[in-house]
Amino acid sequence: MNYLEGLNEPQREAVTHGEGPLMIIAGAGSGKTRVLTYRIAHLMNRGVDPFRIMALTFTNKAADEMRSRLEKVVGTDARNIWAGTFHSVFSRILRIEAQKIGFTSQFSIYDTDDAKSLIRTILKEMSLDDKVYRVNNVLYRISSAKNNLISAEAYMNSAEYRADDEASRVPELGKVYKTYQERLRRANAMDFDDLLFNTNVLFRDHVDVLNKYQQKFHYMFVDEFQDTNISQYLITKKIAAVHQNICVVGDDAQSIYAFRGANIQNILNFQRDFPDTRIVKLEQNYRSTQNIVNAANSVIAKNKSQLQKNVWTANEEGNKIELIKASSDNEEGSLIANSIFEEKMLYQRHNDEFAILYRTNAQSRAFEEALRKKNIKYRLIGGVSFYQRKEIKDLISYLRFTINQSDEEAFKRIINLPKRGIGDTTVAKIVVAAMENNLTLWEVVANPKPYLGDRLSAPIENFSALIKSFHATSVIKDAYETAAHVAKASGLLKELHEDKTVEGLARYENVQELLNAIKEYVDNPESPDKSLSSFLQSVSLLTSADDEKDDKADRVTLMTIHSAKGLEFKHVFIVGMEEDLFPSQMMLSSMADLEEERRLFYVAITRAEHKLTLSYAETRYRFGRLQTCEPSRFLKEIDASYMRMTQNTRTFETERNTSFVKNLTTRKAPPVTTPATTHAPSTNFIASDTSTLTVGMKVEHPKFGFGVVTSIDFSTPDKKAKIKFEKDGEKTLLLSFAKLMIHE
DNA sequence: GACTCAAGTCTTTTT
DNA sequence: GACTTGAGTC
């Protein structure tokens, strides 16, 4: 068969391996996705029905990628494979089997915001101090427990967890966990971890259901196996138990999700649970130059715990790795932008051949500004998702509540939106009435008079009538028509339409865009069905990495290293190579964590094909203050022979007419020195006195636009400056974080 | 109950 | 810098 041509020996072995468990240890750039696709194609060519194949990935993007590659090899049959993320595939199964574990198939999926909000509510009800019980921490602990399949009951009975909670001074955590689960159940809702946890429960308690899926799926594939947690592993293990045709692909050196419960131990468990496992190692790297492969190897060699592996390449030696030192985060941005500009000019490169990778999303700002200044188009992946925006969540909440009237979080969002005179106090009364009478929120809302009296009930009755009509619509109409009706009849669209500010306009357009997306979903023949609930399910599992609109456009990519996994670029910039930032300060508590950070660095390096540039800044704004930074320890771990320091002697045009006044709170701090030399002066400096900003000066504020400073007041007791500025006769008071551009 | 302004809080990564 | 909370006013 022609697709076997051009494969190396181990690749060919992996593709043609017949029945029985298979583990592929795939080094970075070793053609993993290719092998995986060909293997599935190979099976289908031998007559395996695509309906009997389940392929699990970690991101929607990876699933789409696999599907489209398969389609190229085997045609549209590929669509019949059950391919998707763990969360999407098993939420689909849970939807079918929901009744068996006490949910209805209309269950809602709570995202992280909903989960946090529910925890906040519970903490308040239990009168626990949210300064001690940090919401993030509570959710993290609950999530870890679920990922290890520890139920709330088991948690409370475990001496170990109890001791740990006592030691962390959160002794009530078990109770919070238990209440949290009860509330989810009452809301007919699951959080992300529940989708996996409940699948385990389903398979454990209903052998007939398990049998059904064991019989259905003859072949299982798990991509990025090193990132599976116990909960995910057990599901796949159970389904594969009968046919034993399970193929896992992974690389322990690229395990970067331990914080989410991923367990490299699974690689060892797999060999124990499937003793006949055939192991294939893919070690030849086809992606990167020798310098890049060698540098990556020299870094990962510092890790103690890893599987024996020898990644090598026959590619050319290539450019040395470049190291750029910048004096500030903003200068880092402009140096990188310049470097991209130069490369484009010198070598006719396209924007989409470049990627800027960073540790945290917050770092993107400086690069965005610098690229914009140079007129280089970019796309930003991650950060705040389209689906996290307020106006989008609002409409989605309406839709969720239309489908599932037990959904407490959706209810709280929409009950008084647009304003209909139902304030916090009334909502609190509803909640209390529901609790005291052992009713659901909806039962109280649908019939409020006995609990709240006539006066308060009127607006609530209007609300419940509205929802009832929405629900009736959803039964007979498809997702798009229902959503369009809800957007209009709820008053959401009208309210946004009346807001004539720039932001209001953007929000209105966003809602229209959501409606377009729903239309697209309804029109797409691959959607399972056209109902609103089916759309909501798919939309709840989308992440910020999924909502790119202009994918094809020629743009520089900006993203975190985590979201870069599985991708490759001609020229990669890894920026912010500073101690405490990368490796992250929070990760330095243990050796294991440091090793995970190092693997993250390894992942970043191995994204590069031809050229790799590292950079760090000597000063950086964090916590709203200027900090001095040390170069990252990881820089020293790269063998010096693969690197070269770029002398930062290029000259830049000085922007004399623009300067930033930033963060006047710190006016007592020493001003940042801006040497009047060939170096680009940092465009940021701290105002050391009022002389840089004077009354009557014309300024530009990023949000409010052009205006004139009318007064500056440094006399406030807490050292904060008040700057007033006037715009079109309208006075605006700016607080300490005023960031004004001065046009002289 | 709705709105405004000011102060306080928090920063890792993602399904 | 972004977001939440709290106090004060209408």
Side-chain angles (χ1 to χ4, degrees), chain A residues 462-561:
Chain A
N462 287 339
F463 173 76
S464 69
L466 195 65
I467 296 297
K468 275 179 200 156
S469 82
F470 290 167
H471 183 76
T473 310
S474 78
V475 176
I476 48 171
K477 304 266 182 163
D478 69 28
Y480 173 69
E481 288 179 76
T482 311
H485 172 67
V486 169
K488 213 178 281 169
S490 64
L492 277 185
L493 267 187
K494 184 158 165 274
E495 189 179 63
L496 290 177
H497 196 63
E498 281 164 1
D499 183 353
K500 295 292 180 201
T501 62
V502 185
E503 295 91 358
L505 210 64
R507 281 202 291 269
Y508 181 77
E509 279 165 11
N510 284 337
V511 171
Q512 291 296 353
E513 206 174 308
L514 174 63
L515 291 173
N516 289 341
I518 303 180
K519 181 85 180 123
E520 236 170 79
Y521 181 86
V522 168
D523 291 343
N524 184 350
E526 285 186 49
S527 307
D529 66 71
K530 303 187 185 317
S531 72
L532 184 55
S533 77
S534 144
F535 171 77
L536 285 177
Q537 172 184 355
S538 79
V539 96
S540 327
L541 296 171
L542 288 181
T543 65
S544 49
D546 298 319
D547 48 54
E548 45 192 272
K549 280 157 274 171
D550 27 27
D551 203 9
K552 307 126 235 153
D554 178 33
R555 290 163 189 272
V556 173
T557 305
L558 272 68
M559 62 184 156
T560 63
I561 301 169

Side-chain angles (χ1 to χ4, degrees), chain A residues 327-328 619 626 669-677 679-686:
Chain A
S327 61
S328 70
T619 60
L626 194 69
V672 173
T673 51
T674 45
T677 62
H679 283 275
S682 165
T683 48
N684 266 348
F685 66 94
I686 296 169

Side-chain angles (χ1 to χ4, degrees), chain A residues 186-397:
Chain A
R186 234 178 49 186
N188 192 24
M190 302 190 197
D191 68 12
F192 288 143
D193 302 313
D194 283 335
L195 294 174
L196 305 171
F197 186 92
N198 288 336
T199 303
N200 272 293
V201 171
L202 175 72
F203 287 164
R204 183 196 65 199
D205 297 345
H206 300 271
V207 182
D208 52 323
V209 177
L210 174 60
N211 282 341
K212 182 165 109 193
Y213 292 102
Q214 284 174 333
Q215 294 308 325
K216 178 170 168 56
F217 296 112
H218 289 196
Y219 292 87
M220 304 271 303
F221 289 83
V222 183
D223 194 10
E224 307 282 9
F225 185 64
Q226 75 281 355
D227 290 330
T228 49
N229 59 39
I230 305 266
S231 179
Q232 290 165 320
Y233 175 57
L234 281 183
I235 295 174
T236 47
K237 180 181 142 189
K238 275 186 177 165
I239 298 180
V242 171
H243 291 286
Q244 296 271 313
N245 291 323
I246 177 166
C247 168
V248 300
V249 190
D251 177 10
D252 59 300
Q254 296 183 64
S255 163
I256 54 175
Y257 283 105
F259 74 90
R260 205 171 79 190
N263 195 335
I264 314 191
Q265 201 64 27
N266 281 343
I267 291 186
L268 302 176
N269 291 344
F270 188 84
Q271 296 175 63
R272 187 199 61 207
D273 294 335
F274 298 93
D276 299 332
T277 300
R278 173 98 202 130
I279 299 177
V280 177
K281 285 187 186 176
L282 307 179
E283 296 178 306
Q284 182 175 357
N285 177 308
Y286 294 94
R287 179 186 295 153
S288 316
T289 63
Q290 281 183 31
N291 264 317
I292 292 168
V293 170
N294 290 340
N297 283 342
S298 69
V299 166
I300 203 67
K302 300 284 190 297
N303 271 5
K304 294 259 173 345
S305 64
Q306 54 178 323
L307 298 177
Q308 202 50 49
K309 206 173 333 102
N310 172 35
V311 178
W312 61 282
T313 185
N315 293 346
E316 56 168 9
E317 188 182 341
N319 298 306
K320 291 211 166 179
I321 293 162
E322 225 181 335
L323 178 61
I324 295 180
K325 176 172 103 174
S327 61
S328 70
D329 46 359
N330 284 311
E331 196 197 47
E332 186 184 34
S334 55
L335 286 173
I336 302 283
N338 277 316
S339 168
I340 291 177
F341 187 77
E342 244 168 54
E343 290 262 315
K344 282 180 63 173
M345 290 298 138
L346 287 175
Y347 309 108
Q348 309 299 312
R349 295 264 188 240
H350 293 285
N351 287 335
D352 59 6
E353 294 176 328
F354 299 95
I356 300 175
L357 309 183
Y358 35 78
R359 180 71 229 288
T360 69
N361 280 308
Q363 285 164 260
S364 69
R365 202 209 83 251
F367 299 97
E368 290 185 71
E369 275 172 16
L371 290 170
R372 259 204 298 267
K373 247 183 227 165
K374 280 248 167 282
N375 265 325
I376 300 173
K377 291 199 166 166
Y378 64 88
R379 63 178 182 147
L380 185 71
I381 299 197
V384 176
S385 158
F386 178 74
Y387 292 97
Q388 308 260 68
R389 291 167 198 224
K390 181 186 176 300
E391 63 276 15
I392 299 301
K393 283 210 80 173
D394 288 343
L395 180 52
I396 299 255
S397 295

Side-chain angles (χ1 to χ4, degrees), chain A residues 110 117-118 120-126 179 183 186-187 401 405-413 415 422-448 451-452 456 460:
Chain A
Y110 275 12
S117 156
L118 176 53
R120 241 174 250 123
T121 311
I122 293 170
L123 291 177
K124 209 171 278 172
E125 285 168 9
M126 291 174 68
T179 315
R183 290 291 272 275
R186 234 178 49 186
F401 199 68
Q405 289 89 25
S406 307
D407 192 327
E408 196 179 320
E409 294 306 316
F411 170 78
K412 282 194 285 194
R413 253 193 118 84
I415 175 69
I422 307 175
D424 294 346
T425 352
T426 313
V427 173
K429 278 181 191 158
I430 296 173
V431 173
V432 170
M435 292 277 211
E436 282 177 354
N437 298 287
N438 202 21
L439 296 169
T440 63
L441 288 176
W442 176 247
E443 283 168 319
V444 177
V445 171
N447 178 24
Y451 314 103
L452 300 173
L456 288 175
I460 300 174

Side-chain angles (χ1 to χ4, degrees), chain A residues 677-729:
Chain A
T677 62
T678 53
H679 283 275
S682 165
T683 48
N684 266 348
F685 66 94
I686 296 169
S688 55
D689 56 45
T690 52
S691 65
T692 50
L693 192 66
T694 51
V695 172
M697 189 174 263
K698 191 178 176 195
V699 294
E700 185 186 357
H701 187 273
K703 257 188 208 143
F704 303 109
F706 286 97
V708 176
V709 175
T710 54
S711 78
I712 306 165
D713 178 10
F714 278 119
S715 65
T716 45
D718 48 0
K719 285 198 276 185
K720 298 206 172 182
K722 281 185 184 170
I723 306 166
K724 277 186 186 159
F725 103 128
E726 202 174 289
K727 190 203 163 193
D728 308 330

